[in-house]
Amino acid sequence: MKIKSAEFVMSNSDVAKCPKGMIPEYAFIGRSNVGKSSLINMLTSRKSLAKTSGRPGKTQLINHFIINKEWYLVDLPGYGYARVSKTTKKIFQKFITQYFERREQLVTAFILVDIRHKPQPIDLEFMQYLGEGGIPFSIIFTKADKLKPKAIDNHVEDYKNILLETWTEMPNYFITSSSKDIGKDDVLSYIDELNSNMKPTA
Ligand code: GTP
Ligand code: MG
């Protein structure tokens, strides 16, 4: 898919105020600092469409971007960030769960995980949460530039092993690096394919 246009639409903490209508949308979620905003910039080839930062907790709101005037790309705040209080740390921020529970327009979520780390409980918990809610998701491994190919394979394998303990199959996954422009076409083609599946056939 060629990105002809990518524009910021709005930021919200209230799901009820997110764009109306049934334009298909795709959400990017994951731990703080995993590289969600950077990935969005890589996918759209826009350097600073989504705000990035070396400090975790940069994205605090639900951000809608419209791509090719056809679909929404949604940048969400990270979960599992320690600056929130102990009680809220245990659960995912309420407006994040409300987002997933109420956005009927959501076609699929992309859960981003840092390829350098072993499977983390909070990511597995989030996958479990989406799975139980019947919300489709894919995994996007980020920061692949930080590891050698063999280590990448090993870390993906660790994920497969742990997910296959609870799931019948490994979800779709992508290996990406925003700094090295890796994985862009794979993710965009996947979105393109899902978008075409939704168009009524004449
Ligand atoms: P929050 O909005 O705080 O939840 O973070 P985020 O997930 O949106 O992460 P963001 O895109 O702001 O990136 C966090 C840090 O990781 C920044 O310092 C980025 O430069 C760095 N980063 C993101 N993607 C990559 C990547 O593919 N490779 C490398 N080496 N660094 C990356
Ligand atoms: Mg961000």
Side-chain angles (χ1 to χ4, degrees):
M1 174 185 356
K2 200 172 172 330
I3 306 291
K4 289 169 266 176
S5 64
E7 292 153 54
F8 170 74
V9 180
M10 57 162 84
S11 294
N12 279 296
S13 60
D14 182 353
V15 184
K17 293 188 183 140
C18 286
K20 306 271 182 301
M22 287 307 285
I23 291 182
E25 78 185 38
Y26 298 85
F28 293 78
I29 181 89
R31 282 153 71 98
S32 238
N33 222 36
V34 67
K36 298 175 294 296
S37 301
S38 304
L39 184 89
I40 287 168
N41 291 336
M42 184 217 9
L43 292 177
T44 56
S45 305
R46 305 293 192 276
K47 273 205 178 70
S48 46
L49 185 66
K51 294 195 184 87
T52 64
S53 165
R55 288 181 58 209
K58 179 70 182 171
T59 309
Q60 290 291 343
L61 296 164
I62 302 168
N63 299 289
H64 276 78
F65 300 92
I66 183 110
I67 312 299
N68 292 350
K69 306 201 186 315
E70 246 177 26
W71 55 278
Y72 287 124
L73 189 161
V74 182
D75 188 16
L76 292 167
Y79 52 67
Y81 177 49
R83 203 155 68 189
V84 285
S85 75
K86 267 196 182 143
T87 40
T88 50
K89 213 173 101 181
K90 284 207 190 103
I91 48 163
F92 304 109
Q93 266 185 62
K94 200 166 175 198
F95 73 87
I96 297 181
T97 53
Q98 283 177 344
Y99 170 85
F100 286 101
E101 282 149 27
R102 298 191 191 162
R103 281 306 272 181
E104 288 174 13
Q105 299 89 331
L106 182 71
V107 180
T108 204
F110 291 99
I111 302 183
L112 276 65
V113 297
D114 190 324
I115 189 80
R116 294 173 295 174
H117 307 310
K118 295 257 171 216
Q120 304 283 308
I122 193 155
D123 294 320
L124 297 170
E125 248 170 70
F126 199 77
M127 291 174 199
Q128 194 66 33
Y129 162 75
L130 289 187
E132 281 165 8
I135 298 158
F137 69 88
S138 300
I139 299 175
I140 292 188
F141 292 102
T142 64
K143 310 193 185 183
D145 55 286
K146 298 267 195 185
L147 291 184
K148 297 211 160 69
K150 183 78 193 142
I152 291 178
D153 289 349
N154 288 341
H155 283 215
V156 171
E157 206 53 37
D158 287 344
Y159 251 95
K160 277 187 188 158
N161 290 336
I162 203 156
L163 285 174
L164 291 177
E165 285 173 13
T166 40
W167 300 79
T168 50
E169 55 186 53
M170 174 74 178
N172 252 325
Y173 67 91
F174 303 91
I175 292 170
T176 70
S177 161
S178 300
S179 49
K180 292 271 162 68
D181 232 17
I182 297 169
K184 180 174 169 172
D185 292 343
D186 294 341
V187 177
L188 289 179
S189 307
Y190 181 62
I191 293 175
D192 206 17
E193 188 187 313
L194 293 176
N195 278 339
S196 337
N197 288 347
M198 274 176 310
K199 282 184 191 142
T201 43

